[in-house]
Every structure is written in C-alpha cells, then in structure tokens.
Amino acid sequence: MKFLNHLTFGQYIPAESPVHTLDPRAKILSVLVLLTGIFLVRHPLAFIPWGLLLAGLTALSRLPFSMVLRSAKPVLILVIFTSLIHIFFTDGRPLIDLRIVVVTREGVTMAVYMGLRLLFLVLFASFLTLTTKPMELSDGLERLFSPLVPLGFPAHELAMMMTIALRFIPTLLDETDRILKAQLARGASFDRGGIWKRLKAFLPVLIPLFVIVFARAEDLATAMESRNYRGGEGRTRMNPLRWTGADTAALGGILLFVALLFLADRRFLS
Amino acid sequence: MMEAVSRCNNTRRMVWTALLSSVAAVLMYIDMAIPIFPNFLKMDLSDLPALIAAFAWGPAAGVLVELVKNLLHAFTTSTAGIGEAANFLIGSALVVPAGMIYRQFRIKKGALAGLVAGILIMGLTAALANYFLLLPFYSRLIPLEKIIDLSSRILPAVHDKFTLVLYAIVPFNLLKGTLVSLMTLWLYKRISSLFCR
C-alpha cells in the first residue's frame, strides 16, 4: 500500500492534434485570456458559449470528453459547497420554503452562476496541462519571461529548476513514502495528538528526506558539470519553439471570442 | 584531503534550489486543517525548504524556492493560480527578512531574530494581501458575506472584512510562521553540514 500515490503533477495526455502541436506560448497566453474572460462573465446564460467552446476545443484536441471533465474532480466538492451556500443564503423571491431555510429564485441563479464560473475556470486551466507537456510549459514560460532577463530575472534558471523539480517529485514521493513506512514500522504515529505533536512527528521523516535530497543533488550537479552545463547563455535546443501562423490564428481567435462574448454579455444579458 | 562540504557554484546551487522546491511541492500536498480556524486556512510545511534555502544561500534562493513551488502547484491548481499567488507573496514575506538577517548574523540569535522579524512581516503582508487583493478576488467566487458568515460560526469575533483579517487571517499566519520557524530552528543545524557553501 502506498500513502502518497494519489498525487499527480501534470496530467498530460498525448495525442496528435492541432491543439497539442501549438506553441506552448500561444497556449499559455490563450488560457490567460480565457480565464480573464470567465471572470468577466456576468450572466449565467453567457456560459453556454463557453461550454460550446470547451466542447469544440476538446473535439479538436482529440481528447476523450470524459477525461477533460474528470480533471475538475478535485474541485467538485468546492463547486457543490459554493453552490449550496448560494442556494440557501441568498435573499430574494422565495421559490421553496423549507421552514428553516428558504430557497429563492435569486439563490438558484447565483448558485448556477458561481458553480459554473468555478467549474469553467478549472476546466480551461487544466485543458492547458492536459494538452501540453510539462517540459513544453516550462520552455514556454522561459521564453515568455525572457524580456525580463535584462532586468536580472533568471528566466532560464527558473525554467531549468522547474524541469528538475518536476522530474524529482515522483522520486521524492517514493522516498517519502518509504521513510513514512519505515518510521511507522518503528512505532511512529503521524495522525495523533495536537498540531505541534503532529508536526514534530514529521522531523524523523524530514531529516532522512533531506539526506536523500543531498545525495541526489550532488549526483545531478556532478552529471551536469561533467557535461559542461554553464547556464542559459549560448545554450542550444533539440526542439526549439517556433511561432507559426497557426499560433497567431489560435491566439487571435481566442481574443476575438472573449471580446465578442464580453460585448454580447454587456449589451444583451446584463 | 576530501572536502566534507562540496564547493558551491551556480549549477550546484541551482540544482539544490530545484530539489528543495520539489520537496516543498511535495510538502504542500501533505496539508492539515487546524482546529479553531475556518477550513479554507490550511497548515502545511512547504515554507520549510524555502527557509532552509534562505538560511543557506541567502534570501534570493528562498524566494526562488517559493516561486518554483507555486508555479509547479499552479499546474495542477484548483484555484486558477490565485491561491498560489497568495502563497508566494506571504511565503516570500517570511523568507526574505529571515534570510537577510541571518546572512548578517550567522549565529543562533541571528536566526532567531530573523525568524521573528519574518513572522511579523509575514503577518502584516498576509493582512494587507488578504484585505486588498485576495478577499476582493475570492469574493468574485464566494461572496465575502458568506466567508464572514462561515468564519463567524467558528470565531464569533468575526463580523466584517476587517475583523475577519484581524482575528482569523493574521493569527493563522502568525501561528503558521511560528510552527514552521520552530521546525526550521530544529532542523537547520542538523542538515546544514550537507549543503554546498
């Protein structure tokens, strides 16, 4: 049995599709535009085109629709909780009177609106990680941050650190799991007592973990140095990012979609 | 003679920072709710590796650990990056003063003074960030009155935005900072001999 195996960092699903082959920079920027757009929606009905967009993008990316929906599972409880609060605690015209609480028209509208907003935020955010490899994401971030390099921002180092950290998370999870079991076998308990007692119980886990991290860091640094790694300057890539017409079209299309929806929302619905 | 502590260069320091970020990202997942406080405030130990990095290599390394940890966490986010931005701001407010003071006075008292300053600045930052940025932002998802309403059932003193920040968010962050700092004081000397200098 493993304690920590339910954690997944990055949820990339490989497929051959126009969405997968887009430049990661175009995808990151598009998702930022989309998330802003979702925050600007004012009327629950305006989420219909958003649903259509998500369905369209999912079809285009050749991902199974259920897979995309499943990525919202971690926030489902939050969505339901938020909606319930809105249903029961909004004043307005009563719809159903349950004696203790009154369900109002406004409450139901708000619940649907807030629930959908939260759901779409998460769905679009995870659509990015579903269709983009973590490595591509960190490459894309490096290039997006590169204008800040003259100001002293370590864009290359940051991307490299993200790549290394991402690579080591599964290893560290395995190691942490091993240490947890070893300490449990020696009679440690991690879920009893007050908060301070629980935190102190973690010390015998953390010290061996840092010793392992030490060994890994030394090995990796030596391996990189012996291959003559000297930072980002003058470094070449096996697969350099290329911004093509398709990327401009995708980003432009998304911008247009969000702008049109925003105007329609303000003009007809609110 | 073999050196007990390896020489530090940029590559080595970068790899170390990356691995500490990875530890932080793992620790961020092992979080726990604290009694008394409303359950959207969660305790985790992910600031611990950042504090250790700040003590070993200065405040910038600590901030980098916070940044990488939150960027990684944002990949699998449930709050579209807002919670991560909050965590980054508040975590850096703890790590920077601690690292700066300990850099000047590399003795136990320096570490202690740095951590105390860090905790206080973290509490202040958490208050300002929540009051002006995070609560207004979250209130677009869950209206503020409901957050206040829910919190006031656990903490009766909470009745508006100001008292929510004063009685829930500030004490929570002070407590979190204190617990993480105590762990760091305990841990740092035991493992600092491993780091490259």
Side-chain angles (χ1 to χ4, degrees):
Chain A
M1 190 196 95
K2 287 185 86 178
F3 296 103
L4 301 169
N5 62 356
H6 58 284
L7 307 178
T8 46
F9 273 84
Q11 35 184 356
Y12 176 69
I13 300 170
E16 279 186 27
S17 82
V19 180
H20 283 74
T21 50
L22 280 180
D23 191 300
R25 285 168 289 178
K27 282 191 267 189
I28 295 171
L29 290 175
S30 302
V31 165
L32 289 179
V33 172
L34 287 170
L35 296 186
T36 318
I38 293 170
F39 264 106
L40 294 173
V41 171
R42 274 195 189 160
H43 196 278
L45 282 181
F47 280 116
I48 294 171
W50 286 96
L52 293 176
L53 178 72
L54 187 69
L57 285 175
T58 309
L60 199 64
S61 67
R62 310 223 170 101
L63 294 179
F65 202 66
S66 58
M67 206 76 112
V68 178
L69 287 182
R70 206 177 301 158
S71 64
K73 225 162 104 188
V75 283
L76 210 58
I77 297 170
L78 188 63
V79 171
I80 294 170
F81 176 72
T82 314
S83 301
L84 284 180
I85 292 177
H86 284 286
I87 287 189
F88 293 123
F89 296 99
T90 311
D91 298 324
R93 273 173 293 170
L95 211 61
I96 314 164
D97 199 334
L98 295 172
R99 247 183 264 151
I100 319 159
V101 284
V102 182
V103 177
T104 62
R105 237 184 113 85
E106 284 78 0
V108 174
T109 317
M110 275 303 268
V112 171
Y113 170 64
M114 288 296 180
L116 283 177
R117 179 188 242 179
L118 202 57
L119 206 60
F120 274 110
L121 278 177
V122 175
L123 283 174
F124 276 103
S126 52
F127 191 72
L128 175 69
T129 50
L130 281 169
T131 59
T132 320
K133 287 183 199 142
M135 296 290 171
E136 288 183 332
L137 277 180
S138 67
D139 262 7
L141 281 177
E142 175 179 351
R143 294 292 296 273
L144 285 175
F145 279 130
S146 61
L148 297 176
V149 170
L151 305 172
F153 187 83
H156 166 76
E157 284 74 13
L158 191 66
M160 182 58 103
M161 284 194 288
M162 280 177 67
T163 312
I164 295 173
L166 210 56
R167 152 72 185 80
F168 275 99
I169 283 170
T171 315
L172 288 181
L173 281 175
D174 279 350
E175 298 288 3
T176 314
D177 199 65
R178 223 160 49 108
I179 301 167
L180 279 174
K181 276 187 207 149
Q183 300 293 15
L184 279 174
R186 292 171 176 81
S189 72
F190 300 107
D191 47 6
R192 244 169 284 156
I195 184 89
W196 179 231
K197 224 176 168 183
R198 280 194 216 184
L199 286 179
K200 260 172 93 171
F202 262 107
L203 279 170
V205 177
L206 288 174
I207 293 175
L209 187 64
F210 277 109
V211 175
I212 290 165
V213 165
F214 160 73
R216 299 271 179 179
E218 285 301 305
D219 285 353
L220 180 60
T222 310
M224 285 170 81
E225 277 167 356
S226 56
R227 285 166 183 76
N228 230 344
Y229 172 81
R230 276 168 311 179
E233 217 170 309
R235 193 172 151 82
T236 55
R237 282 166 193 288
M238 191 165 169
N239 302 308
L241 298 180
R242 265 196 209 100
W243 187 280
T244 61
D247 298 307
T248 316
L251 185 55
I254 295 287
L255 269 172
L256 193 68
F257 173 85
V258 171
L260 283 179
L261 263 191
F262 176 71
L263 290 177
D265 189 4
R266 290 298 129 105
R267 186 127 167 72
F268 302 115
L269 292 171
S270 349
Chain B
M1 197 187 97
M2 230 182 81
E3 277 170 333
V5 173
S6 60
R7 288 274 123 224
C8 238
N9 54 29
N10 285 335
T11 308
R12 217 156 271 270
R13 207 173 293 137
M14 188 185 78
V15 170
W16 259 110
T17 314
L19 277 154
L20 285 176
S21 314
S22 165
V23 174
V26 170
L27 288 176
M28 210 169 174
Y29 269 92
I30 314 175
D31 55 12
M32 44 198 126
I34 304 185
I36 327 169
F37 288 102
N39 66 357
F40 60 89
L41 299 171
K42 282 246 173 89
M43 174 76 202
D44 67 66
L45 283 177
S46 66
D47 291 324
L48 184 72
L51 270 178
I52 286 171
F55 276 180
W57 305 291
V63 173
L64 275 174
V65 171
E66 291 283 348
L67 187 61
V68 175
K69 168 191 90 177
N70 281 304
L71 282 174
L72 288 179
H73 207 256
F75 280 175
T76 50
T77 185
S78 50
T79 56
I82 302 142
E84 280 77 23
N87 189 293
F88 172 67
L89 263 179
I90 295 168
S92 304
L94 170 66
V95 161
V96 169
M100 270 164 60
I101 294 177
Y102 186 62
R103 173 173 261 188
Q104 297 302 315
F105 310 97
R106 294 191 83 87
I107 45 171
K108 188 132 193 173
K109 273 184 193 152
L112 206 63
L115 288 171
V116 170
I119 294 165
L120 294 176
I121 292 174
M122 177 183 175
L124 188 69
T125 312
L128 293 175
N130 272 288
Y131 196 83
F132 292 108
L133 289 172
L134 302 168
L135 287 177
F137 211 99
Y138 274 125
S139 67
R140 309 207 66 170
L141 292 173
I142 306 172
L144 200 57
E145 309 91 69
K146 272 143 210 172
I147 304 178
I148 292 166
D149 193 43
L150 283 173
S151 311
S152 69
R153 295 193 189 166
I154 310 168
L155 293 167
V158 174
H159 53 78
D160 58 15
K161 190 171 156 189
F162 183 72
T163 48
L164 173 70
V165 170
L166 193 65
Y167 291 120
I169 284 158
V170 170
F172 168 78
N173 279 288
L174 293 179
L175 177 68
K176 182 175 160 178
T178 311
L179 291 176
V180 172
S181 299
L182 284 173
M183 300 273 292
T184 309
L185 282 177
W186 244 45
L187 203 61
Y188 182 69
K189 267 295 139 193
R190 289 167 205 218
I191 58 171
S192 62
S193 60
L194 298 173
F195 301 140
C196 68
R197 294 259 159 248

